[in-house]
Amino acid sequence: MATINDNYLKLKAGYLFPEIARRVNAFAQANPDAQIIRLGIGDVTEPLPDACRHAMIQAVHDLGDRTTFKGYGPEQGYVWLREKIAVHDFQARGAAIEADEIFISDGSKCDTGNILDIFGRNNIIAVTDPVYPVYVDTNVMAGNTGEANDKGEYGGLVYLPVTAENNFTAEIPQQKVDLIYLCFPNNPTGATATKEHLKDWVNYARSQGSIIFFDAAYEAFITDPELPHSIYEIEGARECAIEFRSFSKNAGFTGTRCALTVVPKTLTAKAADGSNIELWKLWNRRQSTKFNGVSYIVQRGAEAVYSEEGQAQIKALVSFYLENAQIIRQQLTSAGLKVYGGVNAPYVWVKTPAGLTSWEFFDKLLQTVNVVGTPGSGFGAAGEGYFRISAFNSRENVEVAMQRITEKFSINFP
């Protein structure tokens, strides 16, 4: 009889967001007249920028003409897109990244999991707590962990607590770790990292021979000129970091799917025989074997982001969501809640009141004011007692949701 990958059996009962959907659906069925506002999952709501949409339409026309038709594209992505990314997103900020070090993909969520394909099973892996669940769950699936304890922490992982006391930025571990997941601006806490903080991590990684997985999916929301957008703005990062980015949030590509991973050619790791192996070659082989590339239509849409029109439109889109975040911060603060994030980031991290657990606060918001957020405990043990609210929604929904909370908070949340 065929056997399964038993590592899947270690996974906790439900992935965070399906569990949220289950509870919301049950409530909606029991209360069909409830007008539920979802500020939980970080999916965008506003239309694609016109520049991207028009470029995609033109790309469809290209496919209707034999002379401009495109079939299989390069697994790494079309060079005309990678060149624009290299110039605008990295070189313009002093980061020495070349086009052939950029791999176009269908999502940074996918890549942060798939990257494990090129690493061994004996690495010591560090994650922040709270953490984006994909980082942990994909390591569980790959067999890099033991069983979960009562707090949901998996054996074999090194958890780095991020709390209000350390400004939600993980401290350098005392022990040696091999693979390190960092996300800034952070999901879920909305925290940002200074150049000095990232420099400490780069120095640590270089001294230990570690690799940093740097998730910069929300870098477009950074407005502070002193904050780095890429880890490659830090000297030495080319020798110790892989960076993941996405068009999902800055350009609204959550449905059309386009992202990128940067693997510098100067990055190496050890083989079993002790030799140094270029990770670029391994990732290139992995993508060439397991991935057929992002569609021509979508890549043309992504290329339009870098046009003059596209740059103006995505700036307006990012500003819109940041204004939502500001409204959420202000209104929740006025309601007496302690809030973090929401500045240079699209997520607001809320301390739950009156000793409520994260899921108790979730249920109370849903049942009392019909507003959905994300329980902090779903992101890790250190997320207990917190709650994430996403700024990705329409202005009307954000304003109505905040009005409901501020008007009923003092009555229902002492």
Side-chain angles (χ1 to χ4, degrees):
M1 178 180 289
T3 61
I4 64 165
N5 177 355
D6 281 349
N7 292 303
Y8 277 71
L9 302 181
K10 300 175 190 174
L11 293 167
K12 290 181 290 184
Y15 180 55
L16 172 62
F17 298 113
E19 174 59 17
I20 290 173
R22 186 192 68 78
R23 295 194 185 203
V24 173
N25 290 338
F27 177 80
Q29 290 176 5
N31 302 273
D33 295 329
Q35 295 181 338
I36 299 172
I37 297 177
R38 293 169 170 82
L39 299 177
I41 295 176
D43 194 3
V44 296
T45 59
E46 302 309 293
L48 286 172
D50 282 347
C52 300
R53 186 169 57 84
H54 292 319
M56 291 178 180
I57 292 170
Q58 180 56 53
V60 172
H61 290 309
D62 291 347
L63 299 184
D65 187 319
R66 185 183 298 274
T67 61
T68 53
F69 175 79
K70 297 289 188 297
Y72 290 126
E75 294 91 349
Q76 301 80 6
Y78 286 101
V79 67
W80 35 260
L81 174 56
R82 292 188 288 151
E83 285 177 344
K84 285 185 171 59
I85 292 169
V87 170
H88 289 272
D89 290 344
F90 296 100
Q91 294 168 15
R93 299 193 62 85
I97 296 299
E98 300 299 326
D100 61 358
E101 297 175 312
I102 296 169
F103 294 80
I104 306 302
S105 77
D106 58 352
S108 56
K109 173 182 176 179
C110 308
D111 282 359
T112 56
N114 292 333
I115 197 69
L116 295 173
D117 282 3
I118 67 172
F119 287 94
R121 295 294 173 260
N122 58 347
N123 288 298
I124 301 172
I125 300 164
V127 297
T128 59
D129 181 11
V131 67
Y132 181 45
V134 172
Y135 307 158
V136 171
D137 288 357
T138 52
N139 273 287
V140 176
M141 294 170 180
N144 292 337
T145 76
E147 300 288 342
N149 63 20
D150 292 341
K151 296 193 296 183
E153 298 170 331
Y154 286 93
L157 294 182
V158 175
Y159 287 87
L160 306 173
V162 292
T163 65
E165 288 69 32
N166 61 19
N167 294 317
F168 299 102
T169 55
E171 298 174 4
I172 304 297
Q174 297 300 310
Q175 68 188 100
K176 181 185 184 301
V177 297
D178 302 304
L179 303 177
I180 305 154
Y181 289 83
L182 295 178
C183 174
F184 291 108
N186 185 254
N187 178 15
T189 69
T192 55
T194 63
K195 289 183 179 180
E196 291 74 21
H197 183 70
L198 292 186
K199 180 61 176 174
D200 288 343
W201 274 108
V202 168
N203 289 343
Y204 171 84
R206 294 182 71 189
S207 70
Q208 301 296 324
S210 310
I211 302 295
I212 297 170
F213 296 153
F214 190 74
D215 188 345
Y218 302 97
E219 61 80 27
F221 294 86
I222 296 174
T223 58
D224 185 340
E226 298 301 314
L227 295 177
H229 289 242
S230 168
I231 199 167
Y232 301 120
E233 295 177 48
I234 310 302
E235 183 179 359
R238 283 183 55 88
E239 284 71 52
C240 66
I242 294 172
E243 183 166 310
F244 307 90
R245 289 200 181 196
S246 174
F247 290 91
S248 285
K249 303 308 187 337
N250 66 331
F253 275 47
T254 54
T256 47
R257 313 304 302 143
C258 195
L260 61 109
T261 293
V262 181
V263 184
K265 291 187 175 181
T266 48
L267 192 60
T268 63
K270 294 287 186 182
D273 63 6
S275 61
N276 289 325
I277 303 297
E278 293 180 25
L279 292 176
W280 183 93
K281 291 182 179 179
L282 300 186
W283 186 244
N284 186 60
R285 178 57 189 270
R286 190 270 174 202
Q287 292 299 84
S288 298
T289 302
K290 289 190 172 184
F291 186 57
N292 254 356
V294 176
S295 78
Y296 170 75
I297 297 168
V298 170
Q299 289 191 65
R300 281 299 188 193
E303 181 194 27
V305 164
Y306 300 99
S307 66
E308 183 177 352
E309 181 185 25
Q311 287 288 285
Q313 290 168 3
I314 65 167
K315 182 179 179 180
L317 198 58
V318 167
S319 294
F320 174 83
Y321 291 125
L322 282 174
E323 289 168 6
N324 279 352
Q326 183 180 26
I327 292 169
I328 294 169
R329 275 183 59 89
Q330 291 175 342
Q331 293 298 310
L332 294 184
T333 299
S334 72
L337 290 166
K338 183 67 175 177
V339 300
Y340 305 89
V343 179
N344 298 301
Y347 295 120
V348 177
W349 191 236
V350 184
K351 179 65 177 172
T352 59
L356 293 174
T357 69
S358 296
W359 279 108
E360 286 172 346
F361 189 62
F362 172 90
D363 289 334
K364 206 164 185 68
L365 273 185
L366 175 61
Q367 294 165 12
T368 307
V369 294
N370 307 153
V371 173
V372 177
T374 309
S377 60
F379 297 102
E384 180 54 81
Y386 289 91
F387 197 77
R388 192 192 76 175
I389 294 185
S390 168
F392 294 114
N393 215 304
S394 68
R395 181 61 46 79
E396 179 183 6
N397 278 350
V398 166
E399 290 178 341
V400 171
M402 293 305 104
Q403 181 182 19
R404 290 180 188 175
I405 292 173
T406 55
E407 287 181 352
K408 296 186 178 183
F409 179 83
S410 61
I411 298 174
N412 295 290
F413 307 112

